Amino acid sequence: MDTLDYLLENNARWAEEMKTKDAEYFSRIYDVQTPKYLWIGCSDSRISANMTMGLKPGELFVHRNIANVVVHTDMNCLSVIQFAVEALGVEHIIVCGHYNCGGVKAAMENVRFGLIDNWLRHIQDVMRTHEATLEAIEDELNRFYKLCELNVLEQTLNVCETTFVRDAWQKGQNLTVHGWIYDMREGYLKKLGIHLGNREQLESFRRRVIYK
Ligand code: CO
């Protein structure tokens, strides 16, 4: 039987290293977490949100699911957003997709995996919304990468339309919603020109970028 002891040994080494660098580190974050950022990303094992941005435990609140989808009836994701915005008072929500996303690819190729097909329907909705843009791209890889980006765009807008973000903006709370993408080939995060800090910016972004 594999007891995974080697993982616990890794953990013990890591905890020692952290305490060597900063003796008070764990006791300081024990009682209270004050992350400034909420990360909504893909479950993909090749991405570590904290590591990618050089953030320590306590600095990033995280929600992940397959293909970083934000659905208005997903109680899990909605609960995370509400807690992050209303209780933790995060200042930034980062929706981060990634190129070569298996979920996006499966949706694009319309392959069948079972239950997850229903989840990936949301990405097929994105495809339908942006049909003309996608169809104009001849190269299949570029079309796939564009869909990864458009999925971030739509999911970022979905975050902005949640009651919690709308209420926070109405109250004048300092909260910006960002759309980013991660390039696994090089390890870089890239901004997609989406950073919305209030309702007016959202409306103007919609007019400028989506309905132009
Ligand atoms: Co993915």
Side-chain angles (χ1 to χ4, degrees), residues 37-42 47-50 52-53 60-64 80 92-97 180 182 189:
Y37 323 94
L38 163 62
W39 169 279
I40 299 177
C42 184
I47 304 161
S48 166
N50 281 69
T52 306
M53 295 184 289
L60 186 68
F61 204 62
V62 173
H63 177 77
R64 297 173 70 164
V80 169
H92 302 275
I93 300 176
I94 301 161
V95 177
C96 189
W180 290 1
Y182 178 68
L189 290 164

Short mmCIF file of all heavy atoms in Angstrom, two decimals, residues 37-42 47-50 52-53 60-64 80 92-97 180 182 189:
data_model
loop_
_atom_site.label_atom_id
_atom_site.label_comp_id
_atom_site.label_asym_id
_atom_site.label_seq_id
_atom_site.Cartn_x
_atom_site.Cartn_y
_atom_site.Cartn_z
N TYR A 37 -6.79 39.22 -3.13
CA TYR A 37 -7.18 38.73 -4.46
C TYR A 37 -8.00 37.44 -4.37
O TYR A 37 -7.71 36.58 -3.54
CB TYR A 37 -5.94 38.41 -5.30
CG TYR A 37 -4.79 39.35 -5.09
CD1 TYR A 37 -3.79 39.04 -4.17
CD2 TYR A 37 -4.71 40.54 -5.82
CE1 TYR A 37 -2.73 39.90 -3.98
CE2 TYR A 37 -3.65 41.40 -5.63
CZ TYR A 37 -2.66 41.08 -4.70
OH TYR A 37 -1.61 41.93 -4.50
N LEU A 38 -9.00 37.35 -5.25
CA LEU A 38 -9.69 36.09 -5.48
C LEU A 38 -9.30 35.61 -6.87
O LEU A 38 -9.39 36.37 -7.84
CB LEU A 38 -11.22 36.27 -5.41
CG LEU A 38 -12.07 35.14 -6.04
CD1 LEU A 38 -11.85 33.81 -5.30
CD2 LEU A 38 -13.56 35.50 -6.02
N TRP A 39 -8.86 34.36 -6.95
CA TRP A 39 -8.47 33.75 -8.23
C TRP A 39 -9.54 32.76 -8.63
O TRP A 39 -9.90 31.87 -7.86
CB TRP A 39 -7.13 33.04 -8.02
CG TRP A 39 -6.66 32.13 -9.12
CD1 TRP A 39 -7.05 30.84 -9.34
CD2 TRP A 39 -5.69 32.42 -10.13
NE1 TRP A 39 -6.37 30.32 -10.42
CE2 TRP A 39 -5.52 31.27 -10.92
CE3 TRP A 39 -4.92 33.55 -10.44
CZ2 TRP A 39 -4.64 31.22 -11.99
CZ3 TRP A 39 -4.03 33.49 -11.49
CH2 TRP A 39 -3.91 32.33 -12.26
N ILE A 40 -10.08 32.90 -9.83
CA ILE A 40 -11.00 31.91 -10.37
C ILE A 40 -10.31 31.31 -11.59
O ILE A 40 -10.12 31.99 -12.60
CB ILE A 40 -12.36 32.53 -10.75
CG1 ILE A 40 -13.03 33.15 -9.52
CG2 ILE A 40 -13.27 31.47 -11.39
CD1 ILE A 40 -14.34 33.87 -9.78
N GLY A 41 -9.88 30.06 -11.47
CA GLY A 41 -9.08 29.47 -12.53
C GLY A 41 -9.49 28.04 -12.85
O GLY A 41 -10.42 27.49 -12.27
N CYS A 42 -8.77 27.45 -13.78
CA CYS A 42 -9.03 26.07 -14.19
C CYS A 42 -8.41 25.10 -13.19
O CYS A 42 -7.40 25.41 -12.56
CB CYS A 42 -8.45 25.83 -15.59
SG CYS A 42 -8.82 24.18 -16.25
N ILE A 47 -1.13 24.22 -13.41
CA ILE A 47 -1.15 25.62 -13.00
C ILE A 47 -1.23 25.71 -11.48
O ILE A 47 -2.08 25.09 -10.87
CB ILE A 47 -2.39 26.35 -13.59
CG1 ILE A 47 -2.38 26.21 -15.12
CG2 ILE A 47 -2.39 27.82 -13.19
CD1 ILE A 47 -3.73 26.48 -15.74
N SER A 48 -0.32 26.46 -10.88
CA SER A 48 -0.40 26.75 -9.46
C SER A 48 -0.51 28.25 -9.31
O SER A 48 0.45 28.98 -9.54
CB SER A 48 0.85 26.24 -8.73
OG SER A 48 0.89 26.81 -7.44
N ALA A 49 -1.71 28.70 -8.93
CA ALA A 49 -1.97 30.14 -8.89
C ALA A 49 -0.98 30.86 -7.98
O ALA A 49 -0.35 31.84 -8.36
CB ALA A 49 -3.40 30.39 -8.45
N ASN A 50 -0.82 30.37 -6.75
CA ASN A 50 0.09 31.02 -5.81
C ASN A 50 1.51 31.08 -6.34
O ASN A 50 2.17 32.12 -6.34
CB ASN A 50 0.10 30.28 -4.47
CG ASN A 50 -1.11 30.62 -3.62
OD1 ASN A 50 -2.22 30.26 -3.96
ND2 ASN A 50 -0.91 31.33 -2.52
N THR A 52 2.66 30.75 -9.39
CA THR A 52 2.79 31.54 -10.62
C THR A 52 2.99 33.02 -10.31
O THR A 52 3.70 33.72 -11.02
CB THR A 52 1.51 31.38 -11.47
OG1 THR A 52 1.29 30.00 -11.68
CG2 THR A 52 1.62 32.06 -12.79
N MET A 53 2.34 33.50 -9.24
CA MET A 53 2.41 34.93 -8.94
C MET A 53 3.30 35.23 -7.73
O MET A 53 3.33 36.36 -7.25
CB MET A 53 0.99 35.47 -8.68
CG MET A 53 0.11 35.40 -9.93
SD MET A 53 -1.50 36.12 -9.68
CE MET A 53 -2.25 34.91 -8.59
N LEU A 60 -3.97 34.66 -1.25
CA LEU A 60 -4.83 34.45 -2.42
C LEU A 60 -5.99 33.53 -2.06
O LEU A 60 -5.79 32.43 -1.55
CB LEU A 60 -4.00 33.81 -3.54
CG LEU A 60 -4.66 33.63 -4.90
CD1 LEU A 60 -4.91 34.98 -5.57
CD2 LEU A 60 -3.77 32.77 -5.81
N PHE A 61 -7.23 34.01 -2.30
CA PHE A 61 -8.40 33.17 -2.11
C PHE A 61 -8.68 32.52 -3.46
O PHE A 61 -8.57 33.20 -4.50
CB PHE A 61 -9.59 34.04 -1.67
CG PHE A 61 -10.65 33.29 -0.92
CD1 PHE A 61 -10.38 32.67 0.28
CD2 PHE A 61 -11.95 33.23 -1.42
CE1 PHE A 61 -11.36 31.97 0.98
CE2 PHE A 61 -12.95 32.54 -0.73
CZ PHE A 61 -12.65 31.92 0.48
N VAL A 62 -9.02 31.23 -3.47
CA VAL A 62 -9.00 30.50 -4.74
C VAL A 62 -10.28 29.71 -4.99
O VAL A 62 -10.80 29.05 -4.09
CB VAL A 62 -7.80 29.52 -4.76
CG1 VAL A 62 -7.86 28.63 -6.00
CG2 VAL A 62 -6.48 30.28 -4.75
N HIS A 63 -10.78 29.79 -6.21
CA HIS A 63 -11.83 28.89 -6.67
C HIS A 63 -11.39 28.33 -8.01
O HIS A 63 -10.99 29.08 -8.90
CB HIS A 63 -13.16 29.62 -6.84
CG HIS A 63 -14.25 28.75 -7.38
ND1 HIS A 63 -14.92 27.83 -6.59
CD2 HIS A 63 -14.77 28.61 -8.62
CE1 HIS A 63 -15.80 27.19 -7.34
NE2 HIS A 63 -15.73 27.63 -8.57
N ARG A 64 -11.47 27.01 -8.15
CA ARG A 64 -11.09 26.40 -9.42
C ARG A 64 -12.13 25.39 -9.86
O ARG A 64 -12.71 24.69 -9.03
CB ARG A 64 -9.71 25.71 -9.28
CG ARG A 64 -8.61 26.69 -8.96
CD ARG A 64 -7.29 26.03 -8.65
NE ARG A 64 -6.68 25.41 -9.83
CZ ARG A 64 -5.40 25.05 -9.89
NH1 ARG A 64 -4.60 25.24 -8.85
NH2 ARG A 64 -4.91 24.50 -10.98
N VAL A 80 -18.20 31.30 -3.03
CA VAL A 80 -16.81 31.77 -2.96
C VAL A 80 -16.75 33.26 -3.27
O VAL A 80 -16.10 34.03 -2.55
CB VAL A 80 -15.91 30.97 -3.93
CG1 VAL A 80 -14.54 31.61 -4.06
CG2 VAL A 80 -15.78 29.52 -3.47
N HIS A 92 -9.50 42.59 -5.69
CA HIS A 92 -9.39 42.15 -7.08
C HIS A 92 -9.92 40.73 -7.24
O HIS A 92 -9.62 39.86 -6.42
CB HIS A 92 -7.93 42.16 -7.54
CG HIS A 92 -7.28 43.50 -7.42
ND1 HIS A 92 -7.38 44.46 -8.40
CD2 HIS A 92 -6.55 44.03 -6.41
CE1 HIS A 92 -6.73 45.54 -8.00
NE2 HIS A 92 -6.22 45.32 -6.80
N ILE A 93 -10.67 40.51 -8.33
CA ILE A 93 -11.05 39.15 -8.72
C ILE A 93 -10.36 38.90 -10.06
O ILE A 93 -10.54 39.67 -11.01
CB ILE A 93 -12.58 38.99 -8.88
CG1 ILE A 93 -13.28 39.30 -7.55
CG2 ILE A 93 -12.92 37.57 -9.36
CD1 ILE A 93 -14.81 39.25 -7.62
N ILE A 94 -9.56 37.85 -10.11
CA ILE A 94 -8.85 37.52 -11.35
C ILE A 94 -9.47 36.25 -11.92
O ILE A 94 -9.43 35.19 -11.28
CB ILE A 94 -7.35 37.26 -11.06
CG1 ILE A 94 -6.70 38.49 -10.43
CG2 ILE A 94 -6.63 36.84 -12.35
CD1 ILE A 94 -5.40 38.17 -9.70
N VAL A 95 -10.08 36.37 -13.10
CA VAL A 95 -10.54 35.17 -13.81
C VAL A 95 -9.42 34.81 -14.76
O VAL A 95 -9.07 35.59 -15.63
CB VAL A 95 -11.85 35.44 -14.59
CG1 VAL A 95 -12.27 34.19 -15.36
CG2 VAL A 95 -12.96 35.87 -13.64
N CYS A 96 -8.82 33.65 -14.54
CA CYS A 96 -7.65 33.29 -15.34
C CYS A 96 -7.86 31.96 -16.08
O CYS A 96 -8.00 30.92 -15.44
CB CYS A 96 -6.41 33.22 -14.47
SG CYS A 96 -4.92 33.05 -15.47
N GLY A 97 -7.89 32.03 -17.38
CA GLY A 97 -7.94 30.82 -18.20
C GLY A 97 -6.54 30.42 -18.59
O GLY A 97 -5.56 30.98 -18.10
N TRP A 180 -7.51 37.35 -17.31
CA TRP A 180 -6.13 37.02 -17.67
C TRP A 180 -6.08 35.64 -18.31
O TRP A 180 -7.02 34.84 -18.18
CB TRP A 180 -5.23 36.94 -16.43
CG TRP A 180 -4.95 38.23 -15.75
CD1 TRP A 180 -5.39 39.48 -16.07
CD2 TRP A 180 -4.13 38.37 -14.56
NE1 TRP A 180 -4.89 40.39 -15.15
CE2 TRP A 180 -4.13 39.75 -14.23
CE3 TRP A 180 -3.42 37.48 -13.75
CZ2 TRP A 180 -3.43 40.24 -13.14
CZ3 TRP A 180 -2.73 37.97 -12.67
CH2 TRP A 180 -2.73 39.33 -12.36
N TYR A 182 -3.14 32.29 -18.94
CA TYR A 182 -1.83 31.74 -18.61
C TYR A 182 -1.30 30.95 -19.80
O TYR A 182 -2.02 30.12 -20.36
CB TYR A 182 -1.96 30.84 -17.38
CG TYR A 182 -0.68 30.17 -16.95
CD1 TYR A 182 0.37 30.93 -16.41
CD2 TYR A 182 -0.52 28.80 -17.06
CE1 TYR A 182 1.54 30.31 -16.02
CE2 TYR A 182 0.65 28.18 -16.64
CZ TYR A 182 1.68 28.95 -16.12
OH TYR A 182 2.84 28.34 -15.73
N LEU A 189 1.80 34.88 -17.36
CA LEU A 189 0.41 35.33 -17.31
C LEU A 189 0.28 36.53 -18.24
O LEU A 189 1.20 37.35 -18.32
CB LEU A 189 0.06 35.77 -15.88
CG LEU A 189 -0.04 34.66 -14.84
CD1 LEU A 189 0.00 35.26 -13.44
CD2 LEU A 189 -1.33 33.87 -15.04
#
